[in-house]
């Protein structure tokens, strides 16, 4: 089953599945989706956690061992596999397909990938992961959705801002949700809970735009 990152909270409130795969082009949404899954698993009693990270010489038997070996203290566990470059190598596809064919009992498995292109999403192993568990797609927000996303972040801190101020933050961050989240955190440190005016926001928010690197030297000289 495939869900957007924004829908994950509702899915976790309904149940904790035995398998989650997180991938997508937005690093903040992917990071937060994985954190939500870890927290939900912990709250459901999956107290122990094993973390594996793939590399050039990664032994895919480690995944099966981690899942089948069970908790050190006899309880339930979370097995997290991180694939930093999105590459599975020669043995990875078969190992994941086999793993999904017999998911271990008493274990929640979390697979964390970066963005995967359309070719990877057409593979058998990707389809197997999607069919066997919950596939969380952490894709960038549409530009028009970012002010509302910022407003929700502000409200979590007991703050709010008018549409002009929200649009100002969104325009300065240019779709970079990491930068927008940092600005929201900074506003929470600078101002008490309540409504923020445009002047307050404009004074606090830095320009997080992506500049041309060739402008660095002239700017430094200036």
């Amino acid at each position: 089953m495939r869900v957007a990152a924004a829908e994950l909270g509702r899915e976790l409130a309904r149940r904790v599945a035995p398998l989650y795969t997180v991938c997508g082009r937005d690093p903040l949404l992917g990071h937060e989706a994985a954190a939500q899954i870890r927290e939900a698993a912990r709250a459901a009693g999956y107290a122990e956690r094993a973390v594996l990270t793939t590399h050039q010489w990664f032994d895919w038997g480690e995944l099966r061992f981690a899942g089948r070996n069970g908790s050190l203290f006899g309880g339930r566990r979370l097995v997290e596999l991180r694939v930093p470059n999105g590459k599975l190598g020669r043995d990875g596809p078969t190992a994941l397909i086999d793993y999904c064919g017999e998911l271990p009992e008493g274990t929640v498995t979390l697979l964390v990938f970066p963005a995967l292109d359309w070719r990877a999403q057409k593979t058998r192993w990707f389809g197997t992961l999607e069919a066997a568990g919950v596939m969380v797609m952490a894709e960038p927000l549409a530009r028009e959705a970012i002010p509302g996303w910022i407003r929700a972040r502000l409200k979590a801190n007991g703050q709010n801002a008018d549409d002009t101020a929200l649009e100002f933050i969104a325009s300065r961050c240019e779709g970079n949700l990491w930068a927008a989240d940092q600005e929201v955190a900074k506003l929470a440190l600078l101002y008490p809970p309540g409504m923020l005016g445009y002047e307050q926001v404009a004074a606090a928010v830095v320009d997080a735009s992506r500049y041309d690197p060739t402008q660095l030297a002239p700017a430094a000289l200036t």
Side-chain angles (χ1 to χ4, degrees), residues 24-213:
R25 293 175 293 152
D26 192 285
L28 176 63
L29 296 183
H31 171 79
E32 292 186 339
Q36 279 184 277
I37 294 166
R38 294 184 199 107
E39 181 57 34
R42 189 180 303 111
Y46 296 85
E48 190 175 332
R49 179 178 170 215
V51 180
L52 306 173
T53 303
T54 63
H55 49 78
Q56 184 177 356
W57 299 281
F58 181 71
D59 180 1
W60 285 90
E62 292 184 33
L63 174 61
R64 178 175 295 277
F65 179 79
R68 300 288 191 271
N69 197 40
S71 170
L72 181 64
F73 302 104
R76 295 186 289 182
R77 69 176 352 197
L78 170 70
V79 174
E80 181 173 342
L81 176 70
R82 300 172 181 174
V83 188
N85 61 2
K87 306 296 184 182
L88 298 182
R90 182 185 63 184
D91 300 328
T94 300
L96 287 181
I97 291 170
D98 291 346
Y99 188 86
C100 291
E102 191 179 352
L103 292 172
E105 295 184 8
T107 300
V108 170
T109 304
L110 169 60
L111 309 177
V112 182
F113 290 86
L116 297 174
D117 62 22
W118 66 270
R119 294 179 184 85
Q121 295 188 36
K122 293 293 185 181
T123 59
R124 183 185 171 198
W125 65 263
F126 186 91
T128 300
L129 292 178
E130 185 174 357
V134 179
M135 177 73 66
V136 184
M137 304 303 293
E139 294 300 319
L141 298 180
R143 174 61 180 80
E144 60 271 18
I146 294 178
W149 182 87
I150 296 171
R151 186 191 297 277
R153 296 271 164 152
L154 287 171
K155 285 186 175 181
N157 295 331
Q159 295 178 322
N160 203 345
D162 60 27
D163 292 343
T164 302
L166 294 173
E167 181 60 35
F168 176 80
I169 300 173
S171 64
R172 286 302 181 97
C173 295
E174 288 193 344
N176 185 336
L177 297 188
W178 277 112
D181 184 65
Q182 289 170 357
E183 298 300 344
V184 170
K186 182 167 64 177
L187 289 169
L189 292 173
L190 292 175
Y191 303 117
M195 193 71 179
L196 302 177
Y198 172 79
E199 292 78 11
Q200 291 173 298
V201 171
V205 173
V206 300
D207 194 337
S209 301
R210 302 179 184 88
Y211 293 107
D212 183 345

